[in-house]
């Protein structure tokens, strides 16, 4: 049962409204798509207790353990069970893996195995049924500005210009300062969208819209980017070009990334490691280190003599169930 971002967010908030586990900020825009999206970006669906304002549990002074400094994110035996009218559905079972600082990780698996659920749990949108998720050694208890989420669709507001869209998060978080507006303009210039800043989404190509969505995410300067099949809506040629552009942007800015994708070739050409999930309930079948050269672009990596070996290994793992 693959939950997309807005589905997970809606379920979380509705359960909180019914059972009192989460504080929902009131407002007549509650059922309005724009209002829901704004609340998501601003992190206004938060726990009543046990979480600090940044979306992570307070440090425990009684806990003398120190996390591995190389691990930015750690999932430890994470499980997820959904309650449905037909009964319980186990989506994840004992998922464990780490993500290092500045690392690019891809998660692959069959449709409906729970890949997007893993991202929603890392982001703090969903609380796992079992296990734990740590960010910089602190339990994730809610959404945080340090973790950005880039979706399968760009979700640019059609009534707003590119410049207005990419500043949306800054406005919500009350960070729309002159300094940050200048930084947004630098991002638009760096990624060839400055001349389109006054254009509307309908006037952009698919690749340009995805770059605008990435700049909107980068505007808040998150340390981690969660990417939920962000290139899947593009045609093949554009997909390779845009994935190369965006992976280059992420690496050049020293970000950490976790990508969900169905495309094995995409996972290999973009990643430092590939996490392979089994069918539902998903477990980690294998984690494969990828080494195709740090400086090569995506097309060059796909031509590497080692590429086909990685592809065959992942393909066999996905089909050997």
């Amino acid at each position: 049962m693959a939950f997309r971002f807005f589905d997970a967010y809606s379920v979380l908030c509705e359960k909180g409204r019914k059972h009192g586990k989460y504080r929902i900020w009131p407002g007549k825009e509650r059922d309005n798509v724009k209002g829901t999206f704004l609340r998501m970006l601003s992190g206004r669906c938060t726990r009543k207790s046990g979480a600090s304002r940044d979306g992570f549990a307070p440090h425990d002074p009684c806990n003398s353990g120190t996390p591995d400094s190389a691990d930015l994110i750690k999932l430890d035996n994470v499980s997820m069970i959904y309650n449905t009218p037909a009964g319980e559905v186990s989506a994840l079972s004992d998922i464990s893996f780490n993500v290092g600082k500045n690392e690019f990780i891809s998660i692959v698996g069959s449709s409906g195995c729970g890949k997007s659920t893993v991202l929603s749990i890392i982001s703090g949108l969903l609380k796992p049924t079992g296990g734990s998720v740590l960010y910089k050694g602190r339990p994730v208890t809610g959404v945080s500005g340090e973790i950005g989420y880039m979706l399968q669709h760009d979700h640019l507001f059609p009534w707003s210009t590119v410049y207005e869209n990419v500043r949306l998060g800054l406005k919500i978080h009350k960070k729309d300062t002159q300094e940050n507006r200048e930084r947004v303009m630098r991002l638009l210039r760096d990624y060839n969208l400055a001349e389109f800043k006054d254009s509307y989404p309908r006037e952009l190509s698919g690749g340009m819209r995805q770059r605008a969505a990435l700049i909107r995410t980068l505007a808040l300067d998150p340390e981690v980017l969660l990417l939920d099949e962000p290139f899947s809506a593009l045609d093949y040629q554009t997909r390779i070009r845009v994935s190369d552009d965006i992976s280059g942007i992420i690496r050049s800015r020293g970000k950490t990334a976790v990508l969900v994708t169905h495309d094995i070739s995409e996972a290999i050409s973009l990643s430092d490691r590939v996490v392979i999930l089994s069918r539902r309930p998903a477990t980690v079948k294998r984690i494969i280190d990828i080494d195709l050269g740090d400086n090569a672009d995506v097309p060059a990596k796909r031509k590497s003599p080692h590429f086909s070996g990685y592809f065959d290994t992942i393909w066999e793992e996905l089909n050997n169930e």
Side-chain angles (χ1 to χ4, degrees):
M1 180 178 294
F3 269 59
R4 287 288 177 253
F5 183 76
F6 287 110
D7 296 329
Y9 181 79
S10 299
V11 168
L12 185 63
C13 290
E14 181 62 19
K15 286 175 68 177
R17 185 183 69 79
K18 289 182 178 179
H19 303 295
K21 294 181 180 179
Y22 298 87
R23 179 187 298 112
I24 308 299
W25 287 34
K28 61 183 179 181
E29 80 286 6
R30 180 184 304 276
D31 297 321
N32 180 275
V33 173
K34 181 179 178 181
T36 301
F37 189 61
L38 292 176
R39 290 197 303 279
M40 177 274 290
L41 285 177
S42 61
R44 288 182 174 178
C45 181
T46 58
R47 299 184 194 281
K48 287 184 176 180
S49 62
S52 57
R53 292 178 64 86
D54 59 2
F56 307 110
H59 287 289
D60 183 357
C62 298
N63 185 358
S64 59
T66 56
D68 186 341
S69 59
D71 292 335
L72 195 63
I73 300 170
K74 181 177 181 180
L75 285 78
D76 186 18
N77 295 321
V78 169
S79 298
M80 187 70 197
I81 296 175
Y82 290 110
N83 291 312
T84 72
E88 291 186 343
V89 175
S90 181
L92 307 176
S93 177
D94 295 328
I95 298 290
S96 296
F97 64 88
N98 299 344
V99 183
K101 185 176 176 61
N102 303 136
E103 195 173 22
F104 199 123
I105 299 290
S106 286
I107 302 174
V108 299
S110 60
S111 296
C113 75
K115 299 183 297 296
S116 296
T117 298
V118 172
L119 291 192
S120 293
I121 289 173
I122 293 174
S123 71
L125 281 170
L126 289 178
K127 180 182 178 181
T129 308
S132 63
V133 180
L134 301 181
Y135 176 73
K136 295 182 178 179
R138 301 170 63 188
V140 174
T141 58
V143 294
S144 165
E146 293 190 45
I147 300 178
Y149 210 132
M150 186 173 173
L151 309 174
Q152 181 174 358
H153 301 289
D154 55 72
H155 292 290
L156 299 175
F157 290 158
W159 55 82
S160 298
T161 66
V162 169
Y163 187 53
E164 292 167 341
N165 267 292
V166 298
R167 289 168 53 210
L168 181 60
L170 293 175
K171 292 179 179 179
I172 293 170
H173 286 272
K174 302 186 186 304
K175 295 182 179 179
D176 192 29
T177 63
Q178 181 62 32
E179 179 182 358
N180 283 335
R181 286 196 293 270
E182 290 174 357
R183 187 162 62 85
V184 165
M185 279 307 304
R186 285 197 299 273
L187 288 170
L188 289 169
R189 286 193 296 270
D190 289 346
Y191 307 127
N192 302 315
L193 285 178
E195 63 180 292
F196 301 98
K197 73 180 185 69
D198 296 321
S199 300
Y200 289 88
R202 63 179 178 275
E203 300 172 311
L204 306 181
S205 67
M208 293 165 71
R209 290 172 64 109
Q210 287 300 90
R211 272 182 283 156
L214 177 62
I215 292 172
R216 180 182 60 198
T217 305
L218 290 173
L220 287 167
D221 199 25
E223 189 161 356
V224 176
L225 290 172
L226 305 179
L227 311 171
D228 193 355
E229 300 187 68
F231 316 120
S232 61
L234 305 175
D235 64 78
Y236 183 74
Q237 184 176 6
T238 302
R239 181 170 182 155
I240 293 178
R241 185 177 68 251
V242 173
S243 65
D244 186 34
D245 288 343
I246 289 181
S247 65
I249 292 169
I250 290 171
R251 292 187 183 276
S252 67
R253 305 194 73 83
K255 304 298 181 183
T256 300
V258 182
L259 168 72
V260 159
T261 180
H262 285 96
D263 190 327
I264 298 175
S265 296
E266 184 173 85
I268 296 169
S269 59
L270 295 179
S271 307
D272 299 306
R273 288 187 296 148
V274 176
V275 178
I276 304 173
L277 300 185
S278 68
R279 296 184 184 276
R280 192 179 69 224
T283 60
V284 175
K285 293 192 67 178
R286 188 172 175 183
I287 299 176
I288 298 177
D289 293 325
I290 305 294
D291 184 6
L292 295 174
D294 294 333
N295 299 320
D297 59 17
V298 168
K301 288 182 177 180
R302 294 188 180 219
K303 296 176 183 177
S304 167
H306 304 294
F307 186 90
S308 60
Y310 289 128
F311 188 99
D312 292 343
T313 299
I314 296 173
W315 177 265
E316 290 175 6
E317 288 289 346
L318 290 174
N319 287 277
N320 185 23
E321 295 191 60

